[in-house]
Amino acid sequence: MSRPARGPMPAAADLAAAVDTWLGRLADERRRSDHTIAAYRRDLDGFLRFLAEHRGAAPDLASLGDLTVRDIRAWLARRAAEGLARTSTARALSAVRVFFRHLERDGVPVSPALSLVRAPKTPRAVPRPLTEGQARAVVDLGGLNAGPPDWTARRDAAVLLLLYGCGLRIGEALGLDRADAPAADAALHSLMITGKGNKQRVVPVLPVVAEAIADYLAACPHRLEPGDPLFVGVRGKRLQPRPVQRTMARLRGALGLPSSATPHALRHSFATHLLAGGGDLRTIQELLGHASLSTTQRYTEVDEAGLLAAYRAAHPRAG
């Protein structure tokens, strides 16, 4: 994991201000979660701290135009020498690249060195979905394990159903506004989702999901106007991921689920169960909002693993 930020960001005033502007845009315009923004800041802090030590002076905006491939490779080598995981380094490199693209869009000249350096190879992660029975148990229990007040249980049930029934990322679900809620009495339900890269997609909504959202709204004590958040906390502010994660942790304990049973695992489960039910990869790619089909193809590996496990359990000569 990346080292946490230590004290003020090691950068000149103009660069520190640019970082703050970038992080503010991520929060306000792209609705990135607090966790994601904190991770971006830590990764960028580590990079700028390295530059300050490597070059002997706090970097400013102008110095970012002078970076060389050698500078970037020295940073990557430092991280490797410190024993940081390749996955962590790949994420940090991605964060710096995203920041540089932000600067370019604002007309700040930056070095092309980052685009000339390959990210370290990382092991291909295979999604870890729940079984169909486990996913059904989670959404059936929903918010039953939530604490007081009672309306938050209906809220959590609606969020979990959205994650599994529509394959949303938790940030996408919590980023919805009241005006986005599907009408409970409509014949056809759908949501316009803004995902990664500000890319929009239309996602169909099962009637049971629309009903759960309507049930939550009927119980919610806060008067929510069209421009207000759809899912709110007890003080009426936009709900953050942590309460949903706590609810999922309680469900893990109650149902005896593995530690991989997180809110994001419900999205994995949505894709895996659609594939197992005969869904085609292109459709699943569109529903998930994946930019590349290769990302969606990871779910075929999960399906193949499930088939192999079933074969070994059932075939008389598999033992």
Side-chain angles (χ1 to χ4, degrees), residues 163-247:
L163 301 183
Y164 179 54
C166 300
L168 302 191
R169 302 176 179 93
I170 189 169
E172 294 170 345
L174 301 186
L176 293 170
D177 289 335
R178 174 64 181 84
D180 298 321
D185 57 351
L188 184 64
H189 308 280
S190 65
L191 286 172
M192 177 66 75
I193 300 298
T194 301
K196 287 186 176 180
N198 227 23
K199 186 178 178 182
Q200 292 189 314
R201 67 187 191 275
V202 176
V203 177
V205 179
L206 296 170
V208 66
V209 179
E211 290 168 8
I213 294 174
D215 189 41
Y216 147 67
L217 288 173
C220 181
H222 302 286
R223 181 176 178 178
L224 302 179
E225 301 297 334
D228 291 335
L230 174 57
F231 296 108
V232 297
V234 292
R235 297 181 180 177
K237 303 296 183 182
R238 187 177 297 277
L239 184 64
Q240 296 301 306
R242 188 61 191 138
V244 182
Q245 292 164 349
R246 283 197 296 265
T247 294

Side-chain angles (χ1 to χ4, degrees), residues 34-82:
D34 291 345
H35 176 77
T36 298
I37 292 172
Y40 272 136
R41 183 176 181 86
R42 283 195 302 271
D43 289 334
L44 194 55
D45 178 272
F47 175 67
L48 298 179
R49 194 172 297 280
F50 166 79
L51 288 183
E53 297 172 0
H54 183 61
R55 292 193 156 191
D60 57 11
L61 283 176
S63 69
L64 297 186
D66 300 329
L67 291 177
T68 66
V69 170
R70 182 174 294 180
D71 292 327
I72 305 302
R73 286 178 175 163
W75 171 53
L76 298 178
R78 169 75 67 83
R79 292 181 63 90
E82 292 177 349

Side-chain angles (χ1 to χ4, degrees), residues 134-307:
Q134 289 171 337
R136 180 180 291 276
V138 166
V139 297
D140 283 348
L141 277 180
L144 292 182
N145 278 7
D150 291 343
W151 65 270
T152 61
R154 301 186 185 192
R155 178 201 66 196
D156 292 353
V159 172
L160 295 177
L161 268 169
L162 257 181
L163 301 183
Y164 179 54
C166 300
L168 302 191
R169 302 176 179 93
I170 189 169
E172 294 170 345
L174 301 186
L176 293 170
D177 289 335
R178 174 64 181 84
D180 298 321
D185 57 351
L188 184 64
H189 308 280
S190 65
L191 286 172
M192 177 66 75
I193 300 298
T194 301
K196 287 186 176 180
N198 227 23
K199 186 178 178 182
Q200 292 189 314
R201 67 187 191 275
V202 176
V203 177
V205 179
L206 296 170
V208 66
V209 179
E211 290 168 8
I213 294 174
D215 189 41
Y216 147 67
L217 288 173
C220 181
H222 302 286
R223 181 176 178 178
L224 302 179
E225 301 297 334
D228 291 335
L230 174 57
F231 296 108
V232 297
V234 292
R235 297 181 180 177
K237 303 296 183 182
R238 187 177 297 277
L239 184 64
Q240 296 301 306
R242 188 61 191 138
V244 182
Q245 292 164 349
R246 283 197 296 265
T247 294
M248 197 69 187
R250 286 192 287 265
L251 288 170
R252 280 200 303 270
L255 297 171
L257 301 178
S259 60
S260 58
T262 63
H264 199 67
L266 292 173
R267 172 175 160 88
H268 291 325
S269 305
F270 165 85
T272 304
H273 300 165
L274 276 184
L275 184 63
D280 67 275
L281 278 175
R282 285 291 181 187
T283 300
I284 295 171
Q285 177 190 2
E286 289 297 321
L287 291 174
L288 293 175
H290 286 160
S292 170
L293 184 62
S294 62
T295 304
T296 314
Q297 284 174 328
R298 295 180 305 159
Y299 294 103
T300 63
E301 299 176 27
V302 177
D303 196 40
E304 288 169 1
L307 288 173

Side-chain angles (χ1 to χ4, degrees), residues 11-32:
D14 62 344
L15 179 50
V19 172
D20 287 340
T21 298
W22 172 58
L23 295 175
R25 286 182 182 174
L26 290 177
D28 298 335
E29 298 175 13
R30 302 208 172 184
R31 295 178 176 177
R32 298 294 173 86

